[in-house]
Amino acid sequence: MKDLYILGIESSCDETSASIVKNGTTEIATVISSQIDIHKDYGGVVPEIASRQHVKNITIVLEECLEKANLTMNDIDAIAITYGPGLIGSLLIGLEAAKTLSFIYNKPLIPVHHIAGHIYANNLVKELSFPLLAVVVSGGHTELVKMTGHYKFKKLGGTLDDAIGECYDKVARVIGLEYPGGPKLDKLAGLGKNTYKLPVPLKDDSYNFSFSGLKSAVINLVHNEEQRGNEINKEDLACSFQSVAIEEVVSKVRKAIIEEDIKNIIVAGGVAANKGLRSKIEELAKELDVDLTIPPLKYCTDNATMVAAAGYYAYLDGRVSDLRLNSKSQDVLM
Ligand code: KG4
Ligand code: ZN
């Protein structure tokens, strides 16, 4: 079969990114413009500012990506775009760019669900093997997805409230860490001991998660200690929080491996960078004898490489859209 070059575009949150990937596995060139430094001052992503930054950056990022790859639009076979879920204003900027290129250069337009992107980031490391369990842990998502083949997704469960990354960022903020606090909280947890008693979130028989109760418990604990004039041991609190948050994920992963006859696990999304989660899942994979892939850091957080990789398989699956394609802030992965 002829080589297929997919141009991926990602703008669902605060990264504007373009990437060219060959045959869903080989990264040719990627450009990412991150807005973290701009949103840091506000303690989180400000949607209106994010949209404006995407408008500023999108054409520059696209031009730089083609230049870096030493290719022109004529070499591109199809355009993969994150249509959702995400911030609607941000999504629309990437989508309009993708539609414009699709129209001008007469290239197929492939809609990619953001979570499919995070999952297919792993395909850039090692080709996916099935049946597979994708543990999707990011700032916006916490989901367990079973795959029985390429682009065959079945959501087993997900968070009923906050996403795990969102919970990390909020807990980090209350103990005085700068946005995005997840990585800093992870580092602090490595220096502390599990001494604070925190509630176990959702001990039920489903594949669902809950993080808002845990988040509130930490916030209340910090405020109560402050009012009493007591000093918080930040390292120990970070370690105690991390133990509970990760056990919440790992216990459901264990259940899924056993009950769903899983042979391969992949971890996807920004929280896949978490040291505590990585080591617990590694232990579990060893114990239950399943194959584990965790992508390197650069593929964990939002990027268009993962979108182009997913786009290749979506294209092979016939998932081509016309120019009526719209962005969706919420959408189920199917
Ligand atoms: O996948 P991502 O870039 O964005 C979404 O699609 O949501 O994930 C970003 C999230 C942030 O909440 C960030 O704090 C979290 O991933 N994160 C971490 C770590 N590295 C990034 N959370 C915990 N431990 C980490 N090491
Ligand atoms: Zn993401």
Side-chain angles (χ1 to χ4, degrees):
M1 201 170 93
K2 169 189 173 294
D3 285 336
L4 285 181
Y5 288 82
I6 310 287
L7 169 66
I9 301 175
E10 160 66 41
S11 69
S12 66
C13 190
D14 60 343
E15 267 92 24
T16 321
S17 179
S19 178
I20 297 162
V21 171
K22 186 173 90 175
N23 299 334
T25 51
T26 311
E27 179 182 1
I28 306 294
T30 300
V31 176
I32 305 174
S33 167
S34 173
Q35 307 173 9
I36 282 186
D37 285 342
I38 297 167
H39 297 287
K40 211 154 67 178
D41 294 343
Y42 304 90
V45 177
V46 184
E48 179 60 24
I49 296 176
S51 313
R52 285 167 193 262
Q53 288 299 316
H54 286 305
V55 172
K56 250 187 176 171
N57 294 333
I58 189 81
T59 43
I60 302 168
V61 164
L62 280 161
E63 273 173 11
E64 262 182 35
C65 178
L66 285 162
E67 206 173 291
K68 207 168 156 186
N70 205 14
L71 297 173
T72 69
M73 278 308 294
N74 295 327
D75 302 308
I76 301 297
D77 293 288
I79 301 161
I81 172 70
T82 305
Y83 72 94
L87 301 172
I88 195 70
S90 294
L91 287 163
L92 281 165
I93 312 302
L95 181 67
E96 285 311 311
K99 280 188 190 179
T100 306
L101 290 173
S102 164
F103 178 67
I104 295 173
Y105 295 100
N106 195 23
K107 305 287 178 187
L109 185 64
I110 312 161
V112 171
H113 190 285
H114 185 70
I115 296 297
H118 274 303
I119 292 172
Y120 273 93
N122 287 275
N123 205 62
L124 296 151
V125 183
K126 189 174 161 207
E127 278 192 57
L128 303 186
S129 317
F130 310 99
L132 168 155
L133 179 73
V135 183
V136 183
V137 278
S138 76
H141 307 273
T142 315
E143 287 176 18
L144 293 183
V145 179
K146 183 179 179 181
M147 290 178 76
T148 47
H150 278 298
Y151 252 80
K152 290 192 169 53
F153 306 105
K154 181 185 164 201
K155 181 175 163 181
L156 300 179
T159 183
L160 301 175
D161 38 60
D162 292 355
I164 184 168
E166 188 185 349
C167 182
Y168 260 89
D169 292 339
K170 287 187 178 149
V171 165
R173 187 155 70 175
V174 83
I175 61 171
L177 304 173
E178 208 175 48
Y179 175 83
K184 296 168 193 103
L185 194 63
D186 183 18
K187 222 174 177 179
L188 217 56
L191 304 172
K193 291 194 282 294
N194 185 358
T195 55
Y196 288 94
K197 260 217 132 13
L198 296 167
V200 175
L202 196 64
K203 248 192 166 167
D204 69 356
D205 205 33
S206 73
Y207 289 114
N208 292 327
F209 308 99
S210 167
F211 291 99
S212 79
L214 175 61
K215 174 192 72 187
S216 304
V218 177
I219 294 172
N220 290 339
L221 190 149
V222 172
H223 289 163
N224 287 340
E225 292 297 303
E226 272 171 8
Q227 276 163 8
R228 291 192 191 111
N230 294 338
E231 188 108 346
I232 292 276
N233 183 320
K234 291 185 180 178
E235 288 82 4
D236 287 354
L237 184 57
C239 177
S240 308
F241 162 76
Q242 176 138 307
S243 308
V244 178
I246 285 169
E247 181 52 27
E248 173 78 350
V249 176
V250 172
S251 63
K252 300 290 167 91
V253 172
R254 170 188 288 279
K255 177 176 151 72
I257 295 171
I258 295 167
E259 292 178 2
E260 294 286 329
D261 190 29
I262 298 295
K263 299 280 180 271
N264 307 275
I265 320 178
I266 58 161
V267 189
V271 185
N274 185 275
K275 286 196 196 69
L277 181 66
R278 281 179 179 243
S279 78
K280 284 283 174 200
I281 291 203
E282 272 163 18
E283 265 173 39
L284 184 68
K286 222 181 231 169
E287 182 197 327
L288 299 180
D289 195 24
V290 290
D291 197 60
L292 169 69
T293 313
I294 307 181
L297 230 57
K298 65 170 182 170
Y299 293 142
C300 286
T301 45
D302 289 351
N303 63 82
T305 328
M306 66 187 200
V307 178
Y312 172 79
Y313 295 95
Y315 188 44
L316 296 187
D317 199 43
R319 296 178 184 229
V320 175
S321 177
D322 61 27
L323 293 174
R324 282 171 298 185
L325 179 66
N326 208 347
S327 300
K328 287 187 179 172
S329 59
Q330 303 276 346
D331 200 31
V332 181
L333 173 62
M334 281 192 299

